[in-house]
Amino acid sequence: MSGPDVAAVVLDERVPVRDDRAYVVRWRAADAAGDIAPVTVAATGIDFETSTFTFPNPRAPSAAPVVGDLVMVGEVNRESAALIVKSIEPGPNLTAKLTLVDAAPDIHAADAGPIPAFDPLLTLPVVPARATPAAPVVADIFSGTAALARGSDGTVLARIGVRLRQADEDAFSAGFQLCWRRLGFAEWEAVAGPGPTLFTGPVADGAAYELQARSVTPSGLAGAWTQVVEHQVRGKSEPPSDVENFVISGRRLDWQAVPDLDLAGYRIRWAPGNSVAWGQAQPAHGGLLTASPFELDAIPAGSVTLLIKAVDTSGNESASAARIVTNLGDAPITGTEAALVDFRVLGFPGAITGASVVGGDLLADSDPSALMWVSEAAPMWGDAATEMFAGGGYLPMAYQDELAFTDPPPAARVLLRHTIEGEGAEIAYRVAPPMWGSGSDLMWHSDAAPMFGTGRSDWLPWPGVLVDPTGGLELRMSIAGGQNRGAIRRLQAALDAPRIDEAFADIFVAAGGTRLLIAHAYRGVGAVTVTLQGGSTALSAKIIDKNPTLGPLLQCFDSAGTGVAATVDAVITGY
């Protein structure tokens, strides 16, 4: 106000203006009355906004807008346009849609002269001048597993991902443009997007590429390029993610699928005792597993470590294996236990290194030179209940012994039953070749040939079950040294021979005894079951011997213990 008069009008919104234009305001009161008047603005430059418009001469209140009036602001003679209502289309909730056309009376005489240039009579918004955006910051470039994509034909394609951010945190950008080309090539390829991460198209594994990027404003103004950066594609050479949530229930293994796009399957291995040595572990299956779960067969037995890794289509394995340490129980005898060697009962008669027999068990010896901890990277202690100082450690230990079964039958299997404590346990074996193959083989082939075999084979990881053993076997069990004391509390070798069952019906047994006429070639007879038939004075039957060559000898007795003739049914179980 200027005294009783109105000096200026203040709008409820700011309006873009510039200092090189003249402006007017038009208003309409609640009673539809209104007026138009010139105004001035305190603008500086061509990029300015204001909500205050001053009358050159204060106006009487009756000739000025009041609070609540509708106001339009525009350049002189362009604050509004004269229009004709062409149609009114009713809408919901008492609304309507108006179709307007220019009020141009000269149109009726337009054909009498040249058509004038179109003038909308509208004040266009001010487009301020904006500086070219600065080059963005390249925050990260990656081309491994996270950048892979699947093509339309299902193949996995390598790409390069570039993570960008604005150099000016307050700058507004519609997105970025990324260009790339293979090193040594002339033609660039490009992609644009809102970001912050853009990906190239398919690229070649292991190849080097040049990349650069720039920002783009909403109006399409492109900024400065970043420096050209070289990057070598990792692609499918990067190992897949480590497997998580690896668990066991009975002999069923479950795990969480890895999220990698490039995935061929999973590989599970097992090792005796507590081990982290993937390379020394034995395969638990053939080929690759495509998904969880997996049911273990009977071969992994005893105290074992189960390990799993993911495998991609290039054969790369996870960097670290997920593992389970568990006791699966002894491997079952599928035929007949033909022989058993108990090394603990024998007092561990083989070669012992770094250990002693204590109370029947083989325990690692103390290492007086043990350091306070194993390595610089090892934690000082494991948990709050652990003593601060370790108090010494234990030596690596090993037990090595020979194992030979007399005339094992074909297809027999050697099983190991063991109870191991300590970390890094390994079981290995090697075979001594027989002196000759058969009775028809020559003792030697030439004067230069050695009389005896060339020696034992290399040490091999124990496969869980050794089928059809020939010659002599040598076993070696080793446990790593450290703070946990190694121990072998049980070590047995069992010979699982294929079982032979032979039944006999209505066999006459003489008073002095009768041998069963066997039809199979036995190396040993495990059990003979005899059933007496009626019609004689015999009350019992006795197995005099189990001769595997001549056949078991049977004899029947009466109540006085005198041998009598009788008829029996019998079943032989042997190998």
Side-chain angles (χ1 to χ4, degrees):
M1 300 295 289
S2 177
D5 296 332
V6 177
V9 60
V10 179
L11 307 182
D12 57 0
E13 292 186 19
R14 298 173 66 85
V15 177
V17 295
R18 51 196 294 169
D19 59 1
D20 60 349
R21 297 286 191 273
Y23 294 92
V24 297
V25 295
R26 180 189 290 273
W27 66 92
R28 188 182 70 181
D31 59 359
D35 201 354
I36 184 171
V39 290
T40 60
V41 295
T44 302
I46 63 173
D47 186 5
F48 191 79
E49 292 183 351
T50 184
S51 60
T52 302
F53 295 88
T54 305
F55 295 116
N57 298 306
R59 299 178 67 88
S62 60
V66 299
V67 176
D69 288 355
L70 297 176
V71 177
M72 292 189 296
V73 178
E75 297 177 17
V76 175
N77 296 325
R78 308 175 73 86
E79 83 289 347
S80 62
L83 303 171
I84 296 175
V85 178
K86 179 180 180 182
S87 63
I88 301 175
E89 181 181 345
N93 300 323
L94 300 179
T95 61
K97 177 181 177 181
L98 302 181
T99 302
L100 309 175
V101 296
D102 291 330
D106 295 341
I107 195 172
H108 301 290
D111 60 344
I115 299 176
F118 174 72
D119 186 353
L121 300 177
L122 298 178
T123 301
L124 300 177
V126 177
V127 179
R130 298 190 182 274
T132 301
V137 175
V138 178
D140 188 23
I141 301 177
F142 55 96
S143 59
T145 301
L148 296 177
R150 190 174 298 280
S152 58
D153 59 351
T155 57
V156 178
L157 305 174
R159 301 182 301 173
I160 302 174
V162 181
R163 190 171 294 112
L164 303 164
R165 61 178 174 85
Q166 297 293 342
D168 182 359
E169 298 293 342
D170 297 328
F172 181 73
S173 170
F176 304 94
Q177 185 180 27
L178 172 67
C179 288
W180 72 95
R181 66 180 177 186
R182 189 165 180 173
L183 191 64
F185 285 63
E187 187 176 350
W188 290 89
E189 298 180 76
V191 67
T197 302
L198 298 182
F199 291 92
T200 67
V203 293
D205 280 355
Y209 283 79
E210 294 179 312
L211 304 106
Q212 59 180 352
R214 61 182 177 181
S215 300
V216 181
T217 67
S219 61
L221 180 63
W225 288 103
T226 62
Q227 295 290 329
V228 174
V229 179
E230 289 187 13
H231 178 80
Q232 186 169 12
V233 179
R234 298 193 65 181
K236 292 181 285 185
S237 64
E238 188 174 64
S241 303
D242 294 339
V243 177
E244 297 182 352
N245 298 328
F246 186 39
V247 296
I248 186 171
S249 177
R251 298 186 74 86
R252 169 178 163 149
L253 299 174
D254 289 89
W255 60 93
Q256 181 178 328
V258 299
D260 300 57
L261 189 66
D262 182 22
L263 178 68
Y266 303 89
R267 183 171 288 139
I268 296 177
R269 294 185 174 183
W270 68 274
N274 187 349
S275 176
V276 295
W278 174 263
Q280 297 296 324
Q282 296 299 298
H285 55 84
L288 292 177
L289 304 176
T290 57
S292 174
F294 172 68
E295 193 81 17
L296 289 168
D297 59 22
I299 291 180
S303 177
V304 299
T305 301
L306 301 168
L307 305 106
I308 185 173
K309 286 187 176 185
V311 184
D312 64 18
T313 55
S314 300
N316 301 310
E317 297 176 337
S318 302
S320 301
R323 69 185 188 124
I324 299 171
V325 180
T326 187
N327 194 325
L328 296 174
D330 292 335
I333 296 294
T334 59
T336 300
E337 187 176 289
L340 178 68
V341 178
D342 193 324
F343 295 96
R344 186 180 187 277
V345 171
L346 296 175
F348 293 102
I352 299 174
T353 305
S356 303
V357 178
V358 180
D361 298 333
L362 190 59
L363 305 181
D365 294 333
S366 298
D367 182 5
S369 65
L371 298 175
M372 181 175 176
W373 50 78
V374 179
S375 68
E376 295 180 358
M380 193 167 184
W381 57 76
D383 53 56
T386 303
E387 294 183 0
M388 182 172 180
F389 299 98
Y394 299 94
L395 293 170
M397 63 174 287
Y399 178 70
Q400 186 172 324
D401 208 343
E402 294 186 353
L403 175 65
F405 294 103
T406 303
D407 193 21
R413 309 188 312 160
V414 178
L415 309 178
L416 289 185
R417 300 166 182 163
H418 51 79
T419 301
I420 306 171
E421 296 176 4
E423 297 183 359
E426 296 180 5
I427 301 178
Y429 79 100
R430 61 184 180 184
V431 179
M435 186 173 179
W436 53 76
S438 67
S440 62
D441 288 347
L442 298 175
M443 191 168 182
W444 56 77
H445 298 282
S446 66
D447 291 343
M451 180 174 179
F452 301 101
T454 57
R456 297 183 181 272
S457 66
D458 294 333
W459 287 104
L460 301 172
W462 180 251
V465 172
L466 189 64
V467 180
D468 198 13
T470 56
L473 293 179
E474 195 170 2
L475 299 176
R476 183 181 67 189
M477 181 175 290
S478 57
I479 304 174
Q483 298 302 317
N484 296 322
R485 189 176 195 179
I488 302 175
R489 302 195 183 275
R490 182 178 64 145
L491 181 57
Q492 298 174 338
L495 184 65
D496 182 10
R499 175 173 169 169
I500 302 174
D501 292 317
E502 189 171 356
F504 301 84
D506 303 326
I507 301 298
F508 176 77
V509 178
T514 299
R515 288 191 180 276
L516 295 176
L517 299 178
I518 55 178
H520 297 279
Y522 292 90
R523 281 177 167 81
V525 174
V528 180
T529 303
V530 179
T531 304
L532 277 170
Q533 295 186 9
S536 72
T537 59
L539 295 179
S540 64
K542 185 176 181 179
I543 305 164
I544 305 304
D545 66 45
K546 299 178 182 179
N547 191 301
T549 303
L550 302 177
L553 176 60
L554 307 182
Q555 190 174 6
C556 300
F557 301 90
D558 60 13
S559 59
T562 303
V564 296
T567 302
V568 302
D569 298 327
V571 176
I572 297 178
T573 299
Y575 58 92

